[in-house]
Amino acid sequence: MGNIPHIPDIVIGRLPIYLRALNRMIQEEQEYTSSHELGDRLGISSAQIRKDLSHFGEFGKQGTGYNIKYLYEQIRHILKVDRDWPMAVVGVGDLGHAVAHYRGFKMRGFWVACLFDADPSKIGEQVAGLTVQSMDEMEAEIRHQTIKVAMIAVPAKEAQAVANQLVKAGVRALLNYAPITLAVPPDVRVQYIDPVAHLQHMTYYISP
Amino acid sequence: MGNIPHIPDIVIGRLPIYLRALNRMIQEEQEYTSSHELGDRLGISSAQIRKDLSHFGEFGKQGTGYNIKYLYEQIRHILKVDRDWPMAVVGVGDLGHAVAHYRGFKMRGFWVACLFDADPSKIGEQVAGLTVQSMDEMEAEIRHQTIKVAMIAVPAKEAQAVANQLVKAGVRALLNYAPITLAVPPDVRVQYIDPVAHLQHMTYYISP
């Protein structure tokens, strides 16, 4: 199953959410689920879930619903996370440390392969079993390891320059923790971790 | 302008994104914008932006477009971030440290008011000008400061118990960094920071 064209990006964005819920069900040793159960867990309508999945094929059976492990493996394949993507982490402050130590990457398709920082006092430091490298080494290292995915955890004013360097080295997916919108070529994807946007989304609902 | 009922949650979720783009334009000293310009910046159609904003009133003028500062203030008001929300941060590991030091909260409606950790060796520690408090003090402190918003940065296995305590103390909005789905009462909102979901969303688009 290759990428099927013309699938709305918003649908692709929901697949990781389905994967997370299915993973939880596997851990709970559940074998089958339904679009209704998935929908209830995720606050998404069952019709939406069926419609999303129908873009990629027929995964469920009338009556028995979805085999959880099968659906999980299929979505992993669609998202290309049935392999392990090496990642570069740029910026080894508190956040970079947290990312380097984060155990949630393994089994979900990713691992931290190298760390970079501009601060000379940090270069050579051991973090989560990796040696922090200098920004001068970054491009060659990323090419050498054929790294396509990177996380940017540097201050906002440095983020665009770091992104430019990463893209030049061949990175095609940037997860940006800096509170700034990045300009990248059309063949590069950027996602943002913006905790404040999530907070602002919730305060709407809080009664004064 | 109070909350207008029946606005889809997905629309509310886009308002912080508009706010972020408008804030950027204000910093660039721009005075007016259009749904087309906003849409181009954000990868959202101009029709969608006009439809989203129309739920709340008439903000733009035919010909001149939107007054950026006015629209910015109106959205801040709608999302209730035209005030400062005190926040509790639970878990003062690498991530809690990063959150406590994060400068992106100020001017966007939030500030870190208190820090809690279960580790006795961390209690009493000074982090970003605050003293880390014990979990035993949490409920009373949150009630005392009338805190409605909290960030959970504890290991996955502790996250649900922490959420329960926070909700009991009166918290109504949880930003959860732990890779686990939280069960909360219907009047409590949860948002998740799940970097892996963002990464999985992007690998779909990377050619092998």
Side-chain angles (χ1 to χ4, degrees), chain A residues 15-40:
Chain A
L15 296 184
I17 312 301
Y18 299 158
L19 214 47
R20 191 169 63 200
L22 293 167
N23 189 31
R24 180 85 189 264
M25 291 175 177
I26 290 170
Q27 283 167 0
E28 292 164 357
E29 299 187 357
Q30 193 179 330
E31 272 187 69
Y32 289 91
T33 188
S34 64
S35 52
H36 286 279
E37 188 190 30
L38 264 175
D40 284 347

Side-chain angles (χ1 to χ4, degrees), chain B residues 102-123:
Chain B
Y102 183 62
R103 293 178 191 194
F105 295 127
K106 278 179 193 167
M107 305 305 295
R108 294 179 74 194
F110 302 89
W111 60 286
V112 177
C114 45
L115 305 171
F116 301 96
D117 204 289
D119 180 350
S121 75
K122 286 187 182 151
I123 294 157

Side-chain angles (χ1 to χ4, degrees), chain A residues 9 80 191 194 205-206, chain B residues 9 20 80 191 198 205-206:
Chain A
D9 182 59
K80 300 182 188 152
Q191 292 261 322
D194 182 358
Y205 296 98
I206 300 179
Chain B
D9 182 61
R20 191 169 61 200
K80 302 183 187 149
Q191 292 260 324
H198 290 282
Y205 296 98
I206 301 178

Side-chain angles (χ1 to χ4, degrees), chain A residues 3-5 7-10 12-17 19-20 24 41 56 78-81 83 85 87 94-95 97-98 101-102 104-105 108-110 148-151 172-175 177-182 189-208, chain B residues 3-5 7-10 12-17 19-20 24 41 56 78-81 83 85 87 94-95 97-98 101-102 104-105 108-110 148-151 172-175 177-182 189-208:
Chain A
N3 284 357
I4 300 111
I7 295 174
D9 182 59
I10 198 158
I12 304 303
R14 277 192 290 264
L15 296 184
I17 312 301
L19 214 47
R20 191 169 63 200
R24 180 85 189 264
R41 284 214 184 198
F56 305 97
I78 292 164
L79 292 176
K80 300 182 188 152
V81 291
R83 70 205 73 175
W85 294 87
M87 282 190 301
D94 287 326
L95 187 59
H97 267 92
H101 286 114
Y102 183 62
F105 294 128
R108 295 180 72 193
F110 302 89
K148 298 288 175 196
V149 181
M151 300 175 87
R172 287 296 167 265
L174 294 170
L175 188 61
Y177 282 83
I180 183 187
T181 305
L182 297 173
R189 315 288 305 189
V190 185
Q191 292 261 322
Y192 297 89
I193 301 281
D194 182 358
V196 181
H198 290 282
L199 294 167
Q200 292 177 332
H201 185 165
M202 294 191 285
T203 49
Y204 174 81
Y205 296 98
I206 300 179
S207 312
Chain B
N3 285 356
I4 300 110
I7 295 173
D9 182 61
I10 199 160
I12 305 302
R14 278 192 290 265
L15 296 183
I17 312 301
L19 214 47
R20 191 169 61 200
R24 181 85 189 263
R41 284 213 183 199
F56 305 96
I78 292 164
L79 293 175
K80 302 183 187 149
V81 292
R83 69 205 74 178
W85 295 86
M87 281 190 302
D94 287 326
L95 187 58
H97 266 90
H101 286 114
Y102 183 62
F105 295 127
R108 294 179 74 194
F110 302 89
K148 298 288 176 197
V149 181
M151 302 176 87
R172 287 295 168 269
L174 295 170
L175 188 61
Y177 283 84
I180 182 187
T181 305
L182 297 174
R189 314 292 302 192
V190 185
Q191 292 260 324
Y192 298 88
I193 301 280
D194 181 359
V196 180
H198 290 282
L199 294 167
Q200 292 178 332
H201 185 165
M202 294 191 286
T203 48
Y204 175 82
Y205 296 98
I206 301 178
S207 310

Side-chain angles (χ1 to χ4, degrees), chain B residues 34-109:
Chain B
S34 64
S35 53
H36 286 279
E37 188 190 32
L38 264 174
D40 284 347
R41 284 213 183 199
L42 297 170
I44 298 173
S45 78
S46 58
Q48 183 71 71
I49 291 173
R50 286 193 301 273
K51 198 179 158 203
D52 285 354
L53 295 178
S54 74
H55 286 286
F56 305 96
E58 272 293 337
F59 299 110
K61 274 185 194 157
Q62 199 81 37
T64 53
Y66 302 109
N67 177 306
I68 291 169
K69 272 196 183 152
Y70 177 76
L71 182 57
Y72 178 76
E73 289 304 332
Q74 292 302 309
I75 296 179
R76 271 164 45 95
H77 185 72
I78 292 164
L79 293 175
K80 302 183 187 149
V81 292
D82 53 351
R83 69 205 74 178
D84 285 326
W85 295 86
M87 281 190 302
V89 174
V90 189
V92 192
D94 287 326
L95 187 58
H97 266 90
V99 166
H101 286 114
Y102 183 62
R103 293 178 191 194
F105 295 127
K106 278 179 193 167
M107 305 305 295
R108 294 179 74 194

Side-chain angles (χ1 to χ4, degrees), chain A residues 46-67:
Chain A
S46 58
Q48 184 70 71
I49 291 174
R50 287 193 301 274
K51 197 178 160 203
D52 284 355
L53 295 177
S54 73
H55 285 287
F56 305 97
E58 272 292 336
F59 299 110
K61 274 184 193 157
Q62 199 82 35
T64 54
Y66 302 110
N67 177 306

